[in-house]
Amino acid sequence: MTAPVRSPCAPHFYRGDTAWQVATFLRDFAPVERPLRPVAGVVPHAGWSYSGGTAARVFRNLADKRGLGDGAGVSFVLLGAVHAGHVRRPAVYPAGAWRVPGGTVRVDDALAAALVAGAEGLVGASTDAHAGEHSIEVQVPLLHELLPAARIVPLAVPPTRDAVAVGRAVGTVAQGWPDGTVIVVGTTDLTHYGPHYGFVPAGEGPAAQAWMEANDRRIIERATALDAPGVLEEAATHRNACGAGALAATIAAARAMGAREGVLVEYTTSHAVRPDEEFSMAVGYAGLLFGS
């Protein structure tokens, strides 16, 4: 049977010359000081015009600090947010490739199978779980531009209490993987504030903007403290992450891979990127690194 090639479901999120866009995102790139050896990261997943620069700086830090070259021999386990209600169980995309502008990115099927086995029943294998989901998709063209020889293992992680155990299993497999370097990158956006999202606890204007940024800051602080269970609790209580499962799993994986610190690479919001006259609606975005 021919391995599947996933076609994009959200190409409008990164429409245009992806090489030019990535080069523009990184025009004034400066690496963060720490961590010296990152093993994992977190990126947002909005349209590139809003959060692509933040994601690109996380991937570039990982590439440079780990000396990944063109990505040959490197596999990225991409832990995705789940926006579809029918995906209730973590699921890897088990084999094949994902189509990106100008080519495809191969799935590391051996690593995918090892993650399913290592998670001991918590993770399934399903291409359907990734159909129509954009959170991992928007990362893959970025990765292809920066590390064209790298492979991927997409893993959808719903925000259930199993997310921490799934992440721990991912980190354990990654840490002991004999066939090359494994990097874990999860994705979440932060607070979705405004009437469009049915969430306006502080009204509009400057006070609302300050409230939203404080709401984001709380979950960022949990993440940089490597508190995976706290991330799930924080998101459930304060609605400040749409990918809390992926975020918690990334932290748990990073811990299993030896991470001792989390670092905020960048924080921004859609309002900061494209401000309205008065603040009324925005989504928060953070880029994070975990390592030692």
Side-chain angles (χ1 to χ4, degrees):
M1 181 182 294
T2 303
V5 177
R6 181 187 183 275
S7 295
C9 71
H12 55 289
F13 275 53
Y14 45 89
R15 181 178 292 123
D17 183 338
T18 53
W20 178 86
Q21 290 179 80
V22 173
T24 301
F25 293 151
L26 298 173
R27 185 173 295 148
D28 299 317
F29 173 77
V32 294
E33 284 189 21
R34 299 194 61 84
L36 298 176
R37 186 183 184 278
V39 296
V42 169
V43 293
H45 55 249
W48 279 18
S49 61
Y50 287 101
S51 67
T54 301
R57 283 182 273 280
V58 171
F59 280 112
R60 177 68 183 275
N61 270 289
L62 286 165
D64 289 0
K65 287 176 174 288
R66 293 296 301 272
L68 301 183
D70 68 354
V74 182
S75 292
F76 279 78
V77 180
L78 300 176
L79 304 180
V82 173
H83 296 91
H86 70 278
V87 181
R88 296 185 174 88
R89 182 188 182 198
V92 297
Y93 194 98
W98 283 36
R99 196 176 306 283
V100 297
T104 58
V105 177
R106 288 177 55 206
V107 174
D108 186 336
D109 56 349
L111 179 56
L115 293 178
V116 173
E120 298 181 338
L122 294 177
V123 173
S126 169
T127 58
D128 289 344
H130 296 268
E133 174 58 63
H134 71 276
S135 68
I136 291 176
E137 178 182 320
V138 297
Q139 317 309 330
V140 182
L142 245 176
L143 187 59
H144 182 63
E145 293 294 345
L146 292 171
L147 298 161
R151 293 185 291 175
I152 59 172
V153 179
L155 172 52
V157 188
T160 69
R161 61 185 179 183
D162 288 338
V164 176
V166 168
R168 193 178 301 120
V170 168
T172 300
V173 171
Q175 184 74 346
W177 191 241
D179 297 331
T181 299
V182 178
I183 306 289
V184 177
V185 176
T187 181
T188 187
D189 291 343
L190 303 181
T191 305
H192 289 53
Y193 189 99
H196 179 73
Y197 305 110
F199 191 57
V200 284
E204 300 182 357
Q209 182 177 357
W211 187 96
M212 177 199 159
E213 291 173 359
N215 202 44
D216 284 346
R217 190 160 51 247
R218 276 198 309 273
I219 200 162
I220 290 170
E221 288 171 353
R222 294 270 193 149
T224 54
L226 299 177
D227 181 3
V231 159
L232 292 173
E233 177 186 355
E234 177 66 32
T237 304
H238 295 108
R239 292 180 58 174
N240 44 11
C242 68
L247 176 55
T250 303
I251 295 166
R255 275 189 172 274
M257 298 167 76
R260 296 193 296 272
E261 65 177 342
V263 174
L264 177 65
V265 174
E266 183 171 278
Y267 170 74
T268 189
T269 70
S270 58
H271 178 76
V273 175
R274 294 185 181 178
D276 298 322
E277 288 187 9
E278 182 176 47
F279 179 92
S280 62
M281 183 180 301
V283 178
Y285 313 119
L288 303 164
L289 289 172
F290 304 101
S292 57

